[in-house]
Amino acid sequence: MGILLLKSSACLAILMLFYKIVLEPLNHHHFKRFYLLAALLTSAIIPFITFIKYVEPTFDFGVYDPESMTTPPYFPAELPTITEEQPNTFLPALLWTIYTIGIIVFSMRFILNLIKISSKIKTNQKVKTNVFINVLIEKLAVPHTFFNYIFLNKSAFENNKIPQEVLLHEQTHAKQKHSLDILFLEILQIIFWFNPLLYFIKKDIKLNHEFLADQQVLKSGYHPKTYQNLLLRFSSNQKELALVNAINYMSIKKRLTIMNTQTSLKTKWLRSLLLLPVLALLLFSFSQTKEVEKSIEPKIEYNETSKLYARSIDIKVIKEGHYLIDGFLANKKNFVNILNQLHQDISKSEREKVINIHVDSPEEISDKEVWFIFNNVQDYGYHRIVAYNQEIIRSKGNTPFKLENDIGLEKNNKQILEINQNPLSFKLNGKPTSLEKLRTDFIDLFGKNDVELRINSKGKSLDYSILEKVTEELEGLCKSIELSHGITINDKTHKVAPNKDHSFNIVKKEEAIQDKQYPMLGFSVFKGDPIYANKKLIRASQVAVTTEKKVLNFKFKVPGKPTVKVDGTLLNKEAVKYLFETEDGTTVQYFDIKLEDGSRVPPMLVVITEKPNKKDNELIPPPPPPIPQNATKEQKEKYEKISEEYYRKYKIVDGKPIKISEPPKPKNLKKEPKPPAPPKPKSPLDTVVEMAKKGATFYYNDEKITSDKAIKLLKENKNLNISSSTNNGVSTVHISDKPIKIINGKVVND
């Protein structure tokens, strides 16, 4: 510990010497304030910094010398008795006692100073101006400051004899919180009271505070000569408390010198940069270096293929064109997209070494389905495909059993055009062709029928011009053109757009503008009919929209559970928890689906079921929401209509909607003719119009009105009450916004 203290003191001494010689003459006072405080911390930290130096291990096994080996005598010699010398503990105890007494003395001094300042504040008159509090003292010659408290002579203050320059000087001390620096130094001085350097640096810090206050006064526009004369007049050798900032005569000479010094910006930078080599020297000289022997470990050769191990993908053919890929529902359109989500932690070349695809089905799998799977896993990469009656191994180059109509040469039942850009070459269903012969060869192979074509590219990218020339050559021959990633068009006019993954989209111009925006769960599009999926698929599926806009957030609702707000496109932990606590057959809702452009899409309903698209899992929608209070008249009518239709089909039992079952119809009974439907009741407006044609007399709240006025009232408010009667050929119509009572054929008001 003693060595560390000596090193710390040496660092502080060098930094203070650098300050005195290089920095103090500058008028760069804010930097100097930071430097002096940082010097205290730096000098305390540097001795504790330890650099680790790794060295080669040394082994000393000694030298075997048989002649130096002696046989011990039969009787051992008597060994001298060694007495351990007891260490002297008196000196350390004495030093610790002195150190403790010093801490107590300086702590008492610090506390007494705080009590004196507090007593001054409490016992004297205080005048608050802005954020500063002026403490007025009867017998005080020198103004001084402690935090926001400025101590002034009462008589001078009340008679306005304290110049504004002096007040501004003291306010600068308060505004720049110079008292914090002094408190920090006082605490350090309690701990390291024995270090004389702290007394010197404390003096430098307080002097720099005066430089800062002087600088602020001169910046405010006061004349230097006038201000310097004021300092001489207000300065004094009177001893003030250690915790305050006061004008002191001993520092006046240096302050006047600094005020008259102008330092160029270049000089400031050059002198400040000299600090870097000084810090490097201190770090090199006073830090510690610890030598650590390198640990000897056996070299392990890393084999890139060591991370590879056999992996499998299970593809279950549910029925023709519908599949389960490792538990994920798929069809022919999204087969490749779902497959591409699996085993993305390894590259295609690695998948060709380890991926085994097992094809299974509850029924016999057709060779056509095996061909479909075979063609659609080529770009993904596989090692082996195993079906119930055949095995396809990529390295052997074998293919599934040949079909009678060679449909196996098609991919997704589409003809294949393979393009290799460097060097440029074309293959049409495996047959070499060229850009010049492409149209002729295409007609020879497929005729002029509308052909579905798929374009593959061997390279990572494809030049736009090549793709445009190909589509121009095949104009009028193709029903659709699909690129390797699965984007399809059904139009002759198109444009080519690049993707980040170096694939290409052919986009129909009209469809790009008129695309409707539907919500999606994974690859299932919600267009009103519910989506059926199991819990695992719901958890793993992203929320998206058909326009490919980015989904920012959405809300997820499970009946009987709180609504969960989800950021992003996948369910969060809370939503997944509620999902797995829910029974099969429950309908969950995705709503408030917000997109990146600020728009929203309609809510999406998903039925949790292990048996998708079954009638026994028919969706029962949740009840319609209550009518908003701020709804317009048209909106209220719409809400009422929806609610009426809903409760005609469903009812709420124990908080859950159930379908109203219809009574069973008797079998083998002759159908009786339906009775004629009763005439629809006339609306109040129709009644008024009809009575107006008969020349009826109209009353509104017992006041006689014209027929035109009556029609206008009914158009504006369809909820008005109406009563009509005809006696002895005289027709009368009463309209009222209150219930109408008729007693003995007469209208009676409440």
Side-chain angles (χ1 to χ4, degrees), residues 182-199:
I182 296 171
L183 282 179
F184 173 64
L185 281 165
E186 289 293 324
I187 293 168
L188 279 181
Q189 210 168 359
I190 292 171
I191 301 169
F192 302 103
W193 58 267
F194 52 85
N195 192 341
L197 293 175
L198 287 178
Y199 299 90

Side-chain angles (χ1 to χ4, degrees), residues 108-118 241-243:
M108 292 299 296
R109 172 180 166 272
F110 178 70
I111 294 168
L112 285 172
N113 284 331
L114 285 176
I115 292 171
K116 286 180 182 178
I117 293 172
S118 178
L241 295 176
L243 302 180

Side-chain angles (χ1 to χ4, degrees), residues 67-78:
E67 294 182 1
S68 65
M69 302 296 289
T70 58
T71 306
Y74 184 77
F75 297 102
E78 290 186 5

Side-chain angles (χ1 to χ4, degrees), residues 529-588:
D529 294 329
I531 296 171
Y532 292 85
N534 59 40
K535 294 176 183 178
K536 291 182 180 179
L537 183 59
I538 294 172
R539 179 181 64 180
S541 298
Q542 296 185 353
V543 177
V545 290
T546 51
T547 53
E548 298 185 359
K549 293 179 183 177
K550 184 179 178 182
V551 173
L552 298 181
N553 53 62
F554 61 91
K555 291 179 181 176
F556 180 75
K557 177 66 177 175
V558 173
K561 303 287 185 182
T563 300
V564 181
K565 184 175 181 182
V566 180
D567 291 324
T569 57
L570 285 172
L571 296 182
N572 56 25
K573 289 183 180 179
E574 187 180 6
V576 170
K577 177 188 172 186
Y578 294 152
L579 173 68
F580 279 89
E581 290 174 354
T582 307
E583 297 178 358
D584 285 355
T586 304
T587 301
V588 297

